[in-house]
Amino acid sequence: MKLFDLDGKVALVTGSTDGLGKAMAYGLGKANATVIINGRSSIDKLNQVVEEFKNQGINAHGFLCDVTKEQEIELMVKEIGKSFGAIDILVNNAGVNFRARLLEIPTELFRRNIEINLQSPFIVSKNVVRGMIARKSGKIINICSLMSELGRDSVGAYASSKGGLKMLTQNMATEWARHNIQINGIGPGYFATKLTAPLREKGNPFNDFIINRTPSGRWANPEELVGAAIFLSSKASDFVNGHILYVDGGILATIGKPINE
Ligand code: GCO
């Protein structure tokens, strides 16, 4: 159906050499978008993902850029525009989670969490949205988290950044929706990725806790985020704005159940 087709669109997904970013970039590519893969450190890894995607018939390109560095971002956005066309879809996905309780986390790590998860979506969007405003069309998706809504021991810095990102999303919609730009968020629940690998290690009671706490009764696979990403990137969501779409197997719908039930 044309409503969900991304043919002719250029999509930049930050932090997309791995995990949820890679899965979403792949999905957007399969929906016919030209996808720009972004990583910050390894050119080899970046090229590997681009090759992998190309072999699957996706029009993919790679761009190495640290999305916390404003000058690098300016350059990347310009170069993408010149080489592949203006960015129609921006997915602010790059993120980190330094887990430590609030009394133990060094201030520098708290700051890095905010810088990467919250400040960088602001800077990247600012650079991309000017073109979108001029063309009166565009989609921005900020990857939030369940932690945009809920707290948890040891993720206070991360939760602060993701709560902030939810409000940044709402404010972007407030200021930019009038230019026919849709800015929304996706709030993933517990997905089996590298970021959550320590939580799923054998013997970590957190694994059982999450399965018990999730109405769907399991962890999610990264591919299960693709539908939400395509929806919010496509014509199908042209009047959806400032919304956070939680893809969480129902966690936010419930307080959970006793472990022995
Ligand atoms: C954690 C996890 C979470 C998830 C996810 C939940 O330590 O609780 O890392 O932060 O990654 O963001 O939505």
Side-chain angles (χ1 to χ4, degrees):
M1 233 183 36
K2 281 277 171 259
L3 208 51
F4 294 95
D5 191 61
L6 304 178
D7 195 16
K9 304 287 181 191
V10 174
L12 166 64
V13 184
T14 68
S16 48
T17 56
D18 236 324
L20 299 182
K22 183 178 174 188
M24 286 186 286
Y26 184 82
L28 297 183
K30 280 289 175 187
N32 297 323
T34 296
V35 286
I36 316 295
I37 311 300
N38 157 254
R40 76 173 144 168
S41 46
S42 163
I43 188 79
D44 290 342
K45 201 166 152 194
L46 190 69
N47 289 338
Q48 207 179 307
V49 177
V50 171
E51 273 317 297
E52 198 186 310
F53 280 28
K54 279 187 173 160
N55 290 337
Q56 297 294 319
I58 294 172
N59 190 4
H61 306 278
F63 217 105
L64 209 60
C65 167
D66 179 339
V67 289
T68 62
K69 306 233 164 77
E70 191 143 17
Q71 280 173 345
E72 284 187 33
I73 296 165
E74 277 172 22
L75 193 73
M76 171 172 73
V77 172
K78 267 195 206 124
E79 287 295 321
I80 292 172
K82 262 197 267 163
S83 310
F84 317 114
I87 297 167
D88 301 292
I89 300 159
L90 167 64
V91 183
N92 286 310
N93 166 79
V96 291
N97 187 355
F98 301 114
R99 294 184 190 86
R101 291 203 166 120
L102 291 171
L103 283 179
E104 282 136 31
I105 191 163
T107 303
E108 174 55 18
L109 277 191
F110 189 98
R111 193 188 66 73
R112 280 292 284 165
N113 249 306
I114 301 289
E115 184 179 34
I116 298 170
N117 297 356
L118 176 58
Q119 185 174 286
S120 104
F122 161 67
I123 307 175
V124 179
S125 302
K126 199 169 63 161
N127 277 277
V128 170
V129 82
R130 293 201 173 99
M132 292 179 169
I133 291 173
R135 294 190 309 282
K136 289 224 154 293
S137 148
K139 304 271 183 183
I140 298 178
I141 303 171
N142 293 325
I143 304 307
C144 299
S145 163
L146 273 186
M147 268 73 225
S148 299
E149 301 290 341
L150 298 172
R152 178 172 102 70
D153 260 46
S154 86
V155 296
Y158 177 81
S160 302
S161 70
K162 294 295 189 177
L165 188 56
K166 171 187 153 181
M167 285 317 296
L168 180 62
T169 305
Q170 294 183 199
N171 280 275
M172 285 175 172
T174 303
E175 297 191 15
W176 300 337
R178 73 191 70 152
H179 303 290
N180 190 36
I181 298 163
Q182 290 79 50
I183 306 96
N184 293 286
I186 295 177
Y190 281 89
F191 278 71
T193 62
K194 218 161 75 181
L195 195 86
T196 57
L199 307 176
R200 286 176 288 110
E201 262 165 22
K202 244 192 157 49
N204 189 341
F206 194 81
N207 189 47
D208 289 345
F209 164 71
I210 281 303
I211 291 170
N212 187 264
R213 176 71 181 76
T214 308
S216 294
R218 61 175 176 85
W219 289 78
N221 302 312
E223 303 76 54
E224 291 178 296
L225 209 54
V226 168
I230 292 177
F231 169 59
L232 293 176
S233 296
S234 69
K235 216 180 146 33
S237 60
D238 275 358
F239 202 60
V240 181
N241 232 323
H243 185 76
I244 313 296
L245 176 48
Y246 290 97
V247 182
D248 67 348
I251 289 186
L252 284 179
T254 185
I255 194 170
K257 56 183 178 179
I259 208 95
N260 56 356
E261 221 174 62

